[in-house]
Amino acid sequence: MPEVTPTPPGMKSQSSVEDLKSRLEWGEPAFTILDVRDRETFNDGHIMGAMAMPVDQLVDRAKSSLEPSRDIYVYGETDEATASAASSLRQAGFECVAELKGGFAAWKAIGGATEGVSESRTPAGADDYNVVSRLQDEASKS
């Protein structure tokens, strides 16, 4: 008889935001999300529950606060920055490190939970249908 009990996705060296969201929805507590962007960017908005570990302090802070066998999802400003941070963690002895492809922007695009200064001003999706507001925002940027 085929296996019918659903199982949560496992760790991969490169994970999609959907993989992470699925693990969160399963309620799996045994992983950590690291945001390696600068502190100001992190404070502005980040994946809910992510820990700020700017890339210049990443290895030292991770070694002092995380077990080497812990499942870690890491994201930075770009996929290249994410890959570099993940590589640093792997070289430092962390065994289960996943690069979160697309980072914060991809997470927001699928409606993942966020927190931070900017995020608290605008609930997820609140401005999606407010065309006038979006056009004003675009006009003010140019």
Side-chain angles (χ1 to χ4, degrees), residues 16-74:
S16 70
V17 288
E18 290 86 356
D19 293 337
L20 175 57
K21 193 171 186 197
S22 179
R23 277 194 80 178
L24 285 167
E25 288 167 352
W26 273 91
E28 288 188 51
F31 65 89
T32 299
I33 306 166
L34 298 182
D35 184 322
V36 298
R37 302 173 302 159
D38 66 77
R39 183 57 125 172
E40 188 176 322
T41 305
F42 174 86
N43 288 344
D44 198 45
H46 54 270
I47 294 173
M48 187 171 285
M51 293 173 61
M53 284 201 188
V55 76
D56 57 336
Q57 306 164 11
L58 177 63
V59 171
D60 289 340
R61 289 189 56 200
K63 279 185 164 182
S64 68
S65 60
L66 299 172
E67 291 295 320
S69 59
R70 181 112 179 136
D71 286 2
I72 299 170
Y73 289 86
V74 62

